PDB file of all heavy atoms in Angstrom:
ATOM      1  N   ARG A   1      -0.921  -8.960  11.938  1.00 98.00           N
ATOM      2  CA  ARG A   1      -0.645  -9.019  10.495  1.00 98.00           C
ATOM      3  C   ARG A   1       0.607  -8.218  10.147  1.00 98.00           C
ATOM      4  O   ARG A   1       1.370  -8.616   9.265  1.00 98.00           O
ATOM      5  CB  ARG A   1      -1.856  -8.485   9.723  1.00 98.00           C
ATOM      6  CG  ARG A   1      -3.080  -9.406   9.793  1.00 98.00           C
ATOM      7  CD  ARG A   1      -4.235  -8.820   9.016  1.00 98.00           C
ATOM      8  NE  ARG A   1      -5.375  -9.726   8.997  1.00 98.00           N
ATOM      9  CZ  ARG A   1      -6.573  -9.438   9.501  1.00 98.00           C
ATOM     10  NH1 ARG A   1      -6.794  -8.262  10.062  1.00 98.00           N
ATOM     11  NH2 ARG A   1      -7.557 -10.315   9.433  1.00 98.00           N
ATOM     12  N   PHE A   2       0.820  -7.103  10.827  1.00 98.00           N
ATOM     13  CA  PHE A   2       2.029  -6.311  10.591  1.00 98.00           C
ATOM     14  C   PHE A   2       3.279  -7.124  10.890  1.00 98.00           C
ATOM     15  O   PHE A   2       4.215  -7.181  10.074  1.00 98.00           O
ATOM     16  CB  PHE A   2       2.026  -5.053  11.462  1.00 98.00           C
ATOM     17  CG  PHE A   2       3.364  -4.356  11.484  1.00 98.00           C
ATOM     18  CD1 PHE A   2       3.716  -3.480  10.462  1.00 98.00           C
ATOM     19  CD2 PHE A   2       4.279  -4.594  12.509  1.00 98.00           C
ATOM     20  CE1 PHE A   2       4.955  -2.851  10.472  1.00 98.00           C
ATOM     21  CE2 PHE A   2       5.512  -3.971  12.518  1.00 98.00           C
ATOM     22  CZ  PHE A   2       5.862  -3.101  11.493  1.00 98.00           C
ATOM     23  N   TRP A   3       3.308  -7.778  12.053  1.00 98.00           N
ATOM     24  CA  TRP A   3       4.493  -8.537  12.426  1.00 98.00           C
ATOM     25  C   TRP A   3       4.662  -9.781  11.565  1.00 98.00           C
ATOM     26  O   TRP A   3       5.794 -10.232  11.338  1.00 98.00           O
ATOM     27  CB  TRP A   3       4.451  -8.893  13.904  1.00 98.00           C
ATOM     28  CG  TRP A   3       4.709  -7.715  14.790  1.00 98.00           C
ATOM     29  CD1 TRP A   3       3.829  -7.072  15.598  1.00 98.00           C
ATOM     30  CD2 TRP A   3       5.961  -7.017  14.932  1.00 98.00           C
ATOM     31  NE1 TRP A   3       4.425  -6.014  16.228  1.00 98.00           N
ATOM     32  CE2 TRP A   3       5.738  -5.958  15.844  1.00 98.00           C
ATOM     33  CE3 TRP A   3       7.226  -7.180  14.370  1.00 98.00           C
ATOM     34  CZ2 TRP A   3       6.758  -5.071  16.213  1.00 98.00           C
ATOM     35  CZ3 TRP A   3       8.233  -6.304  14.741  1.00 98.00           C
ATOM     36  CH2 TRP A   3       8.001  -5.275  15.643  1.00 98.00           C
ATOM     37  N   ALA A   4       3.568 -10.325  11.073  1.00 98.00           N
ATOM     38  CA  ALA A   4       3.668 -11.459  10.148  1.00 98.00           C
ATOM     39  C   ALA A   4       4.362 -11.039   8.855  1.00 98.00           C
ATOM     40  O   ALA A   4       5.248 -11.733   8.340  1.00 98.00           O
ATOM     41  CB  ALA A   4       2.287 -12.021   9.848  1.00 98.00           C
ATOM     42  N   LYS A   5       3.966  -9.877   8.326  1.00 97.00           N
ATOM     43  CA  LYS A   5       4.608  -9.367   7.114  1.00 97.00           C
ATOM     44  C   LYS A   5       6.056  -8.998   7.394  1.00 97.00           C
ATOM     45  O   LYS A   5       6.945  -9.247   6.559  1.00 97.00           O
ATOM     46  CB  LYS A   5       3.844  -8.148   6.604  1.00 97.00           C
ATOM     47  CG  LYS A   5       4.331  -7.648   5.255  1.00 97.00           C
ATOM     48  CD  LYS A   5       3.459  -6.518   4.721  1.00 97.00           C
ATOM     49  CE  LYS A   5       3.944  -6.068   3.347  1.00 97.00           C
ATOM     50  NZ  LYS A   5       3.124  -4.942   2.815  1.00 97.00           N
ATOM     51  N   PHE A   6       6.311  -8.424   8.561  1.00 98.00           N
ATOM     52  CA  PHE A   6       7.676  -8.105   8.979  1.00 98.00           C
ATOM     53  C   PHE A   6       8.530  -9.370   8.964  1.00 98.00           C
ATOM     54  O   PHE A   6       9.673  -9.359   8.484  1.00 98.00           O
ATOM     55  CB  PHE A   6       7.627  -7.499  10.387  1.00 98.00           C
ATOM     56  CG  PHE A   6       8.973  -7.338  11.042  1.00 98.00           C
ATOM     57  CD1 PHE A   6       9.713  -6.187  10.841  1.00 98.00           C
ATOM     58  CD2 PHE A   6       9.475  -8.329  11.868  1.00 98.00           C
ATOM     59  CE1 PHE A   6      10.943  -6.031  11.460  1.00 98.00           C
ATOM     60  CE2 PHE A   6      10.710  -8.185  12.481  1.00 98.00           C
ATOM     61  CZ  PHE A   6      11.450  -7.026  12.275  1.00 98.00           C
ATOM     62  N   ASN A   7       7.999 -10.444   9.485  1.00 97.00           N
ATOM     63  CA  ASN A   7       8.723 -11.715   9.521  1.00 97.00           C
ATOM     64  C   ASN A   7       9.130 -12.163   8.117  1.00 97.00           C
ATOM     65  O   ASN A   7      10.289 -12.476   7.853  1.00 97.00           O
ATOM     66  CB  ASN A   7       7.863 -12.792  10.172  1.00 97.00           C
ATOM     67  CG  ASN A   7       8.451 -14.181  10.001  1.00 97.00           C
ATOM     68  OD1 ASN A   7       9.372 -14.574  10.699  1.00 97.00           O
ATOM     69  ND2 ASN A   7       7.904 -14.937   9.046  1.00 97.00           N
ATOM     70  N   ASP A   8       8.169 -12.192   7.211  1.00 96.00           N
ATOM     71  CA  ASP A   8       8.428 -12.723   5.876  1.00 96.00           C
ATOM     72  C   ASP A   8       9.352 -11.827   5.053  1.00 96.00           C
ATOM     73  O   ASP A   8      10.126 -12.311   4.221  1.00 96.00           O
ATOM     74  CB  ASP A   8       7.113 -12.931   5.124  1.00 96.00           C
ATOM     75  CG  ASP A   8       6.376 -14.172   5.597  1.00 96.00           C
ATOM     76  OD1 ASP A   8       6.782 -14.758   6.619  1.00 96.00           O
ATOM     77  OD2 ASP A   8       5.391 -14.557   4.947  1.00 96.00           O
ATOM     78  N   GLU A   9       9.281 -10.503   5.297  1.00 96.00           N
ATOM     79  CA  GLU A   9      10.058  -9.577   4.482  1.00 96.00           C
ATOM     80  C   GLU A   9      11.363  -9.135   5.134  1.00 96.00           C
ATOM     81  O   GLU A   9      12.362  -8.906   4.425  1.00 96.00           O
ATOM     82  CB  GLU A   9       9.218  -8.330   4.181  1.00 96.00           C
ATOM     83  CG  GLU A   9       7.990  -8.637   3.317  1.00 96.00           C
ATOM     84  CD  GLU A   9       7.173  -7.391   3.013  1.00 96.00           C
ATOM     85  OE1 GLU A   9       7.540  -6.303   3.523  1.00 96.00           O
ATOM     86  OE2 GLU A   9       6.183  -7.505   2.272  1.00 96.00           O
ATOM     87  N   LYS A  10      11.384  -9.019   6.466  1.00 96.00           N
ATOM     88  CA  LYS A  10      12.526  -8.433   7.147  1.00 96.00           C
ATOM     89  C   LYS A  10      13.327  -9.420   7.993  1.00 96.00           C
ATOM     90  O   LYS A  10      14.424  -9.070   8.456  1.00 96.00           O
ATOM     91  CB  LYS A  10      12.059  -7.288   8.053  1.00 96.00           C
ATOM     92  CG  LYS A  10      11.407  -6.125   7.325  1.00 96.00           C
ATOM     93  CD  LYS A  10      12.409  -5.392   6.444  1.00 96.00           C
ATOM     94  CE  LYS A  10      11.793  -4.132   5.849  1.00 96.00           C
ATOM     95  NZ  LYS A  10      12.764  -3.406   4.989  1.00 96.00           N
ATOM     96  N   LEU A  11      12.804 -10.630   8.201  1.00 96.00           N
ATOM     97  CA  LEU A  11      13.520 -11.587   9.044  1.00 96.00           C
ATOM     98  C   LEU A  11      13.960 -12.822   8.275  1.00 96.00           C
ATOM     99  O   LEU A  11      15.132 -13.193   8.319  1.00 96.00           O
ATOM    100  CB  LEU A  11      12.665 -11.993  10.250  1.00 96.00           C
ATOM    101  CG  LEU A  11      13.333 -12.958  11.231  1.00 96.00           C
ATOM    102  CD1 LEU A  11      14.627 -12.342  11.777  1.00 96.00           C
ATOM    103  CD2 LEU A  11      12.392 -13.313  12.372  1.00 96.00           C
ATOM    104  N   VAL A  12      13.045 -13.459   7.584  1.00 95.00           N
ATOM    105  CA  VAL A  12      13.404 -14.705   6.890  1.00 95.00           C
ATOM    106  C   VAL A  12      14.564 -14.520   5.900  1.00 95.00           C
ATOM    107  O   VAL A  12      15.544 -15.271   5.944  1.00 95.00           O
ATOM    108  CB  VAL A  12      12.170 -15.321   6.178  1.00 95.00           C
ATOM    109  CG1 VAL A  12      12.590 -16.540   5.356  1.00 95.00           C
ATOM    110  CG2 VAL A  12      11.105 -15.714   7.193  1.00 95.00           C
ATOM    111  N   PRO A  13      14.519 -13.529   4.997  1.00 94.00           N
ATOM    112  CA  PRO A  13      15.619 -13.405   4.027  1.00 94.00           C
ATOM    113  C   PRO A  13      16.992 -13.165   4.664  1.00 94.00           C
ATOM    114  O   PRO A  13      17.961 -13.838   4.302  1.00 94.00           O
ATOM    115  CB  PRO A  13      15.174 -12.241   3.136  1.00 94.00           C
ATOM    116  CG  PRO A  13      13.685 -12.233   3.246  1.00 94.00           C
ATOM    117  CD  PRO A  13      13.413 -12.594   4.674  1.00 94.00           C
ATOM    118  N   PRO A  14      17.125 -12.218   5.639  1.00 95.00           N
ATOM    119  CA  PRO A  14      18.455 -12.038   6.222  1.00 95.00           C
ATOM    120  C   PRO A  14      18.929 -13.216   7.046  1.00 95.00           C
ATOM    121  O   PRO A  14      20.130 -13.505   7.085  1.00 95.00           O
ATOM    122  CB  PRO A  14      18.305 -10.776   7.083  1.00 95.00           C
ATOM    123  CG  PRO A  14      16.859 -10.601   7.299  1.00 95.00           C
ATOM    124  CD  PRO A  14      16.187 -11.174   6.099  1.00 95.00           C
ATOM    125  N   VAL A  15      18.020 -13.929   7.706  1.00 95.00           N
ATOM    126  CA  VAL A  15      18.435 -15.125   8.442  1.00 95.00           C
ATOM    127  C   VAL A  15      19.008 -16.160   7.484  1.00 95.00           C
ATOM    128  O   VAL A  15      20.052 -16.783   7.752  1.00 95.00           O
ATOM    129  CB  VAL A  15      17.258 -15.713   9.245  1.00 95.00           C
ATOM    130  CG1 VAL A  15      17.578 -17.138   9.704  1.00 95.00           C
ATOM    131  CG2 VAL A  15      16.944 -14.858  10.458  1.00 95.00           C
ATOM    132  N   TRP A  16      18.335 -16.323   6.362  1.00 93.00           N
ATOM    133  CA  TRP A  16      18.813 -17.282   5.352  1.00 93.00           C
ATOM    134  C   TRP A  16      20.221 -16.918   4.878  1.00 93.00           C
ATOM    135  O   TRP A  16      21.126 -17.760   4.851  1.00 93.00           O
ATOM    136  CB  TRP A  16      17.844 -17.321   4.180  1.00 93.00           C
ATOM    137  CG  TRP A  16      18.325 -18.145   3.019  1.00 93.00           C
ATOM    138  CD1 TRP A  16      18.864 -17.684   1.851  1.00 93.00           C
ATOM    139  CD2 TRP A  16      18.304 -19.567   2.908  1.00 93.00           C
ATOM    140  NE1 TRP A  16      19.189 -18.736   1.026  1.00 93.00           N
ATOM    141  CE2 TRP A  16      18.857 -19.903   1.650  1.00 93.00           C
ATOM    142  CE3 TRP A  16      17.876 -20.580   3.765  1.00 93.00           C
ATOM    143  CZ2 TRP A  16      18.987 -21.221   1.224  1.00 93.00           C
ATOM    144  CZ3 TRP A  16      18.010 -21.906   3.332  1.00 93.00           C
ATOM    145  CH2 TRP A  16      18.560 -22.214   2.086  1.00 93.00           C
ATOM    146  N   THR A  17      20.423 -15.658   4.528  1.00 93.00           N
ATOM    147  CA  THR A  17      21.740 -15.215   4.052  1.00 93.00           C
ATOM    148  C   THR A  17      22.782 -15.250   5.153  1.00 93.00           C
ATOM    149  O   THR A  17      23.941 -15.609   4.915  1.00 93.00           O
ATOM    150  CB  THR A  17      21.636 -13.792   3.468  1.00 93.00           C
ATOM    151  OG1 THR A  17      20.658 -13.783   2.423  1.00 93.00           O
ATOM    152  CG2 THR A  17      22.969 -13.333   2.900  1.00 93.00           C
ATOM    153  N   ALA A  18      22.379 -14.913   6.372  1.00 94.00           N
ATOM    154  CA  ALA A  18      23.312 -14.946   7.495  1.00 94.00           C
ATOM    155  C   ALA A  18      23.814 -16.352   7.779  1.00 94.00           C
ATOM    156  O   ALA A  18      24.965 -16.558   8.170  1.00 94.00           O
ATOM    157  CB  ALA A  18      22.636 -14.368   8.742  1.00 94.00           C
ATOM    158  N   CYS A  19      22.951 -17.338   7.581  1.00 92.00           N
ATOM    159  CA  CYS A  19      23.321 -18.722   7.840  1.00 92.00           C
ATOM    160  C   CYS A  19      24.084 -19.363   6.679  1.00 92.00           C
ATOM    161  O   CYS A  19      24.921 -20.244   6.882  1.00 92.00           O
ATOM    162  CB  CYS A  19      22.067 -19.562   8.119  1.00 92.00           C
ATOM    163  SG  CYS A  19      21.228 -19.185   9.655  1.00 92.00           S
ATOM    164  N   THR A  20      23.772 -18.929   5.468  1.00 90.00           N
ATOM    165  CA  THR A  20      24.298 -19.644   4.295  1.00 90.00           C
ATOM    166  C   THR A  20      25.248 -18.812   3.433  1.00 90.00           C
ATOM    167  O   THR A  20      25.879 -19.345   2.534  1.00 90.00           O
ATOM    168  CB  THR A  20      23.143 -20.117   3.396  1.00 90.00           C
ATOM    169  OG1 THR A  20      22.451 -18.970   2.854  1.00 90.00           O
ATOM    170  CG2 THR A  20      22.150 -20.956   4.183  1.00 90.00           C
ATOM    171  N   GLY A  21      25.344 -17.504   3.707  1.00 88.00           N
ATOM    172  CA  GLY A  21      26.159 -16.640   2.861  1.00 88.00           C
ATOM    173  C   GLY A  21      27.619 -16.605   3.244  1.00 88.00           C
ATOM    174  O   GLY A  21      28.083 -17.348   4.116  1.00 88.00           O
ATOM    175  N   GLU A  22      28.335 -15.695   2.595  1.00 88.00           N
ATOM    176  CA  GLU A  22      29.768 -15.547   2.843  1.00 88.00           C
ATOM    177  C   GLU A  22      30.134 -14.069   2.828  1.00 88.00           C
ATOM    178  O   GLU A  22      29.419 -13.240   2.249  1.00 88.00           O
ATOM    179  CB  GLU A  22      30.583 -16.267   1.770  1.00 88.00           C
ATOM    180  CG  GLU A  22      30.382 -17.770   1.720  1.00 88.00           C
ATOM    181  CD  GLU A  22      31.172 -18.433   0.598  1.00 88.00           C
ATOM    182  OE1 GLU A  22      31.744 -17.693  -0.235  1.00 88.00           O
ATOM    183  OE2 GLU A  22      31.217 -19.662   0.567  1.00 88.00           O
ATOM    184  N   GLY A  23      31.261 -13.747   3.468  1.00 93.00           N
ATOM    185  CA  GLY A  23      31.853 -12.429   3.362  1.00 93.00           C
ATOM    186  C   GLY A  23      30.986 -11.299   3.895  1.00 93.00           C
ATOM    187  O   GLY A  23      30.228 -11.457   4.858  1.00 93.00           O
ATOM    188  N   GLU A  24      31.074 -10.155   3.244  1.00 95.00           N
ATOM    189  CA  GLU A  24      30.390  -8.949   3.688  1.00 95.00           C
ATOM    190  C   GLU A  24      28.867  -9.099   3.664  1.00 95.00           C
ATOM    191  O   GLU A  24      28.174  -8.628   4.563  1.00 95.00           O
ATOM    192  CB  GLU A  24      30.802  -7.766   2.813  1.00 95.00           C
ATOM    193  CG  GLU A  24      30.223  -6.437   3.264  1.00 95.00           C
ATOM    194  CD  GLU A  24      30.674  -5.271   2.405  1.00 95.00           C
ATOM    195  OE1 GLU A  24      31.520  -5.486   1.510  1.00 95.00           O
ATOM    196  OE2 GLU A  24      30.183  -4.147   2.622  1.00 95.00           O
ATOM    197  N   ALA A  25      28.362  -9.795   2.642  1.00 93.00           N
ATOM    198  CA  ALA A  25      26.914  -9.987   2.538  1.00 93.00           C
ATOM    199  C   ALA A  25      26.403 -10.783   3.733  1.00 93.00           C
ATOM    200  O   ALA A  25      25.338 -10.480   4.285  1.00 93.00           O
ATOM    201  CB  ALA A  25      26.568 -10.706   1.238  1.00 93.00           C
ATOM    202  N   GLN A  26      27.166 -11.789   4.151  1.00 92.00           N
ATOM    203  CA  GLN A  26      26.771 -12.615   5.291  1.00 92.00           C
ATOM    204  C   GLN A  26      26.777 -11.789   6.575  1.00 92.00           C
ATOM    205  O   GLN A  26      25.856 -11.886   7.401  1.00 92.00           O
ATOM    206  CB  GLN A  26      27.715 -13.813   5.414  1.00 92.00           C
ATOM    207  CG  GLN A  26      27.282 -14.851   6.453  1.00 92.00           C
ATOM    208  CD  GLN A  26      27.859 -14.608   7.828  1.00 92.00           C
ATOM    209  OE1 GLN A  26      28.858 -13.907   7.979  1.00 92.00           O
ATOM    210  NE2 GLN A  26      27.223 -15.169   8.846  1.00 92.00           N
ATOM    211  N   GLU A  27      27.798 -10.951   6.758  1.00 95.00           N
ATOM    212  CA  GLU A  27      27.900 -10.136   7.962  1.00 95.00           C
ATOM    213  C   GLU A  27      26.771  -9.108   8.042  1.00 95.00           C
ATOM    214  O   GLU A  27      26.180  -8.885   9.093  1.00 95.00           O
ATOM    215  CB  GLU A  27      29.259  -9.424   7.998  1.00 95.00           C
ATOM    216  CG  GLU A  27      30.432 -10.352   8.284  1.00 95.00           C
ATOM    217  CD  GLU A  27      30.314 -11.025   9.643  1.00 95.00           C
ATOM    218  OE1 GLU A  27      29.849 -10.373  10.595  1.00 95.00           O
ATOM    219  OE2 GLU A  27      30.660 -12.213   9.743  1.00 95.00           O
ATOM    220  N   LYS A  28      26.458  -8.480   6.927  1.00 96.00           N
ATOM    221  CA  LYS A  28      25.361  -7.497   6.906  1.00 96.00           C
ATOM    222  C   LYS A  28      24.029  -8.179   7.179  1.00 96.00           C
ATOM    223  O   LYS A  28      23.172  -7.633   7.889  1.00 96.00           O
ATOM    224  CB  LYS A  28      25.331  -6.787   5.556  1.00 96.00           C
ATOM    225  CG  LYS A  28      26.454  -5.783   5.351  1.00 96.00           C
ATOM    226  CD  LYS A  28      26.303  -5.044   4.026  1.00 96.00           C
ATOM    227  CE  LYS A  28      27.377  -3.986   3.870  1.00 96.00           C
ATOM    228  NZ  LYS A  28      27.250  -3.245   2.587  1.00 96.00           N
ATOM    229  N   ALA A  29      23.842  -9.363   6.604  1.00 95.00           N
ATOM    230  CA  ALA A  29      22.594 -10.094   6.826  1.00 95.00           C
ATOM    231  C   ALA A  29      22.454 -10.505   8.294  1.00 95.00           C
ATOM    232  O   ALA A  29      21.361 -10.424   8.868  1.00 95.00           O
ATOM    233  CB  ALA A  29      22.540 -11.324   5.933  1.00 95.00           C
ATOM    234  N   LYS A  30      23.560 -10.921   8.913  1.00 95.00           N
ATOM    235  CA  LYS A  30      23.515 -11.311  10.319  1.00 95.00           C
ATOM    236  C   LYS A  30      23.137 -10.126  11.189  1.00 95.00           C
ATOM    237  O   LYS A  30      22.318 -10.244  12.103  1.00 95.00           O
ATOM    238  CB  LYS A  30      24.861 -11.876  10.754  1.00 95.00           C
ATOM    239  CG  LYS A  30      24.878 -12.349  12.208  1.00 95.00           C
ATOM    240  CD  LYS A  30      26.194 -13.010  12.578  1.00 95.00           C
ATOM    241  CE  LYS A  30      26.186 -13.485  14.024  1.00 95.00           C
ATOM    242  NZ  LYS A  30      27.451 -14.142  14.397  1.00 95.00           N
ATOM    243  N   GLU A  31      23.716  -8.961  10.902  1.00 97.00           N
ATOM    244  CA  GLU A  31      23.379  -7.758  11.660  1.00 97.00           C
ATOM    245  C   GLU A  31      21.895  -7.426  11.528  1.00 97.00           C
ATOM    246  O   GLU A  31      21.224  -7.099  12.518  1.00 97.00           O
ATOM    247  CB  GLU A  31      24.228  -6.587  11.149  1.00 97.00           C
ATOM    248  CG  GLU A  31      23.974  -5.286  11.883  1.00 97.00           C
ATOM    249  CD  GLU A  31      24.825  -4.148  11.365  1.00 97.00           C
ATOM    250  OE1 GLU A  31      25.753  -4.412  10.564  1.00 97.00           O
ATOM    251  OE2 GLU A  31      24.580  -2.985  11.747  1.00 97.00           O
TER     252      GLU A  31
END
């Protein structure tokens, strides 16, 4: 359950921004 919550809160949002964002926000999200 911990890793499931980790996925939804700490992985899905930055992956989305890393794939679809631009500039500094995209780079930070990818990291």
Side-chain angles (χ1 to χ4, degrees):
R1 291 180 176 119
F2 168 83
W3 287 110
K5 187 175 182 181
F6 170 88
N7 169 79
D8 284 10
E9 295 181 357
K10 298 293 187 180
L11 182 58
V12 175
V15 165
W16 173 258
T17 303
C19 292
T20 65
E22 297 178 352
E24 184 179 355
Q26 188 269 340
E27 288 299 322
K28 287 184 176 180
K30 182 176 180 179
E31 181 180 350

